[in-house]
Amino acid sequence: MEFKQGDWVRIEKDGTVYEGKVMPSMERYIAIKMKSGYNAGFSTDKVRITLMESNGETANGGKNGGKEHKNGDAELSKPGKKLPKVAILSTGGTIASKIDYRTGAVTSQFTADDILAAIPELKEIADFKGRVISSILSENMDSESWQNLARAVVEEIEAGADGVIVTHGTDTMMYTAAALSFMIETPVPIVLVGSQRSADRPSSDNAMNAICAACVSISDIAEVSVVMHGTTSDDFCEIHRGTKVRKMHTSCRNAFKSVNSLPIGVVDYNKREIKTFIDYTRRGVSSLKFKPGMEPKCALVKFTPGADPAILDCYLENGYRGLILEGTGLGHVSTKWIPFIQKATDAKIPVIVTSQCLNGRICDRVYDTGRDMLKAGAIEGEDTLPETALVKMMWVLGQTNEFDKAIEMLREDISGEITECTLK
Ligand code: ASP
């Protein structure tokens, strides 16, 4: 028997029963989304499948009488229920991916509308409008992609969206989050969400992350945030500030952590409730402003013991306009690097120092090396993450050509990237 996308089916495998909605599936393979939000995939020749409900028509034995599992559309059509308007912009990444059985690799194939169709619970939270910006893995993003995305986000807010969700690959999500944070001053939530495991894997985190992101998109947290699993269980998602977040694990579902800040808050997945921990900008406080300028020729350079400082010359000779150093400890590079820092700042190339420790604050006033780096014109990145400092440099140099103005802006906290107190 053929099953259609959206059919509610019961699958028996080795004595265990699974029920769920049929998702886009390959030949001789069936993927379902279960009520828990988890997906499960089966080879059709190894299981017994019973159709329980087909597009509103309940099959004999269907225990739900055609009600409970009907796509969530029933909720939407309730008279008098007005849901907030949320735009969901898809860019690609694992959240929009499935396994391509031809190559065995995970590729970005789903659009925003496919994601909405696969996670019917979303329709109970907001009135969504899907839009595809790109279908790429996030390692292929660049500053032009950030600008195109930011432009689309701004268009949606101008068109009346109460919130915007951006589905994105997790690998570089923190760079995009930082870029949107600097480029857009927003009156509504802008939420980035991804998943570590594709939709057709039983342990996919896509549904829970997307549902929690939807809760944040209609909340009063009018900031750019990243919403991802808070633990390895399906209990809550954390809401991270876009300039303070980093992917800290290659594969765990709770890979994203706030660094040098608490998360803005958490979303309880079961209760769909938000609890906040730190101050945040509330809905409607800022008016929409868009400053898209970006200078792509900036580099983040990691210092390692014995590294040849001539590497800095390569950047200068190739027309780079700003450098971020990822130094050791409190923010150091070898003494041999200091004349090269001087050479850069003499050429009006700003240099920011950040730390490989990630946690804590730069202080170049303790050791001789640090003091000499400051004398050579380096700027302390305070407690800014190296990646955020890079994006900030790109954005600042996209806003001004004046060196002194750029230095002033680089020292300022623009979008929550520098906090006053160092988190222990
Ligand atoms: N490489 C993928 C990406 O960043 C990984 C993911 O989405 O989790 O697009």
Side-chain angles (χ1 to χ4, degrees), residues 92-95 97 108 136-140 168-173 194-197 228 247 250:
T94 299
I95 193 160
S97 298
S108 271
I136 57 174
L137 294 172
S138 74
E139 48 271 35
N140 296 316
H168 198 285
T170 59
D171 287 357
T172 70
M173 189 148 62
S195 72
Q196 287 277 78
R197 312 208 181 137
M228 293 287 289
K247 183 174 180 178
T250 55

Side-chain angles (χ1 to χ4, degrees), residues 95-332:
I95 193 160
S97 298
K98 59 181 174 181
I99 295 176
D100 180 340
Y101 286 93
R102 221 172 13 91
T103 60
V106 171
T107 52
S108 271
Q109 302 174 15
F110 292 153
T111 64
D113 286 333
D114 294 330
I115 294 170
L116 287 170
I119 310 172
E121 295 94 322
L122 286 174
K123 293 181 190 155
E124 293 163 15
I125 300 172
D127 179 3
F128 285 99
K129 173 187 165 201
R131 178 166 168 189
V132 182
I133 308 301
S134 56
S135 294
I136 57 174
L137 294 172
S138 74
E139 48 271 35
N140 296 316
M141 288 267 173
D142 56 21
S143 59
E144 214 181 300
S145 328
W146 302 336
Q147 287 170 314
N148 290 339
L149 173 61
R151 204 161 288 122
V153 169
V154 167
E155 280 165 14
E156 295 301 332
I157 298 173
E158 281 171 345
D162 296 306
V164 179
I165 296 179
V166 176
T167 61
H168 198 285
T170 59
D171 287 357
T172 70
M173 189 148 62
M174 58 280 196
Y175 292 88
T176 304
L180 296 183
S181 304
F182 292 119
M183 286 193 273
I184 307 172
E185 245 177 82
T186 178
V188 303
I190 301 172
V191 190
L192 285 96
V193 65
S195 72
Q196 287 277 78
R197 312 208 181 137
S198 60
D200 43 10
R201 295 187 186 202
S203 62
S204 177
D205 47 341
N206 71 336
M208 176 172 144
N209 290 349
I211 288 167
C212 291
C215 295
V216 179
S217 74
I218 60 164
S219 75
D220 72 338
I221 304 173
E223 295 202 12
V224 176
S225 64
V226 166
V227 172
M228 293 287 289
H229 260 65
T231 69
T232 50
S233 307
D234 285 341
D235 42 9
F236 64 86
C237 277
E238 284 179 335
I239 311 163
H240 305 280
R241 178 160 284 147
T243 50
K244 283 294 198 197
V245 63
R246 198 168 193 277
K247 183 174 180 178
M248 300 292 270
H249 197 283
T250 55
S251 56
C252 273
R253 302 195 297 170
N254 61 337
F256 281 79
K257 301 282 174 226
S258 285
V259 180
N260 293 324
S261 166
L262 291 174
I264 296 175
V266 288
V267 187
D268 183 315
Y269 176 52
N270 294 309
K271 296 191 189 142
R272 312 273 203 260
E273 276 171 15
I274 293 178
K275 202 199 255 167
T276 58
F277 306 137
I278 56 173
D279 277 351
Y280 57 88
T281 307
R282 288 185 161 64
R283 184 181 281 279
V285 169
S286 306
S287 50
L288 182 64
K289 286 193 199 86
F290 182 37
K291 296 180 185 164
M294 278 273 163
E295 168 54 64
K297 294 212 96 168
C298 296
L300 170 57
V301 185
K302 185 168 188 143
F303 168 77
T304 53
D308 186 347
I311 186 98
L312 298 183
D313 267 350
C314 293
Y315 287 109
L316 303 189
E317 281 157 19
N318 282 290
Y320 275 70
R321 293 203 45 226
L323 296 177
I324 310 300
L325 302 181
E326 199 181 291
T328 56
L330 289 167
H332 301 130

Side-chain angles (χ1 to χ4, degrees), residues 35 74 272 354 388 397:
K35 226 184 149 199
R272 312 273 203 260
T354 60
T388 302
L397 298 180

Side-chain angles (χ1 to χ4, degrees), residues 28-45:
R28 292 197 297 280
Y29 175 84
I30 186 164
I32 59 167
K33 169 153 303 290
M34 296 182 286
K35 226 184 149 199
S36 62
Y38 270 89
N39 303 332
F42 306 88
S43 292
T44 45
D45 52 357

